[in-house]
Amino acid sequence: MNMNELERRAEMLKVLSHPQRLCIVRGLITYRCNVSKIQETLGLTQSGLSQHISKLKAAGIIKGVRNGKEICYQVVDKDALRIVDIMFEGIE
């Protein structure tokens, strides 16, 4: 494995290590939704959620898909999806 790939994976783990981002990704694995729904569900401030979304997008873990006037987010990184699934195994 080359160093660029190792750095990408290490960055993904850093981004996922925050509890709220981990919760956002877990929710987006099950449901594609917009910022308002994520904010309502987790009780985050708009600015706090915006920072989390930005970090997840920058790491390539999620992406937004425009649906009319709103943007629905979904998990697009298969490695992140597997990691989060493993982390939540047997919890719910």
Side-chain angles (χ1 to χ4, degrees):
M1 189 174 298
N2 68 35
M3 200 58 169
N4 288 336
E5 183 59 20
L6 288 174
E7 288 173 5
R8 184 191 76 79
R9 289 173 185 234
E11 182 61 28
M12 178 182 46
L13 290 173
K14 278 197 301 189
V15 171
L16 289 174
S17 70
H18 192 284
Q20 291 175 330
R21 286 193 290 269
L22 187 59
C23 208
I24 291 167
V25 172
R26 178 63 178 156
L28 291 176
I29 288 172
T30 307
Y31 305 104
R32 288 174 42 174
C33 61
N34 63 25
V35 172
S36 297
K37 182 64 176 172
I38 297 168
Q39 185 178 4
E40 176 186 316
T41 303
L42 298 180
L44 300 172
T45 64
Q46 184 177 2
S47 63
L49 179 57
S50 178
Q51 290 177 3
H52 291 308
I53 293 291
S54 292
K55 288 183 181 191
L56 290 165
K57 283 172 40 179
I61 295 170
I62 67 170
K63 78 171 187 172
V65 177
R66 184 163 294 283
N67 185 12
K69 290 185 178 184
E70 68 181 15
I71 297 175
C72 291
Y73 290 94
Q74 63 188 30
V75 177
V76 293
D77 186 295
K78 292 180 185 193
D79 293 330
L81 195 147
R82 288 193 318 237
I83 288 167
V84 173
D85 275 346
I86 289 168
M87 291 181 73
F88 280 87
E89 242 176 47
I91 289 179
E92 298 174 89

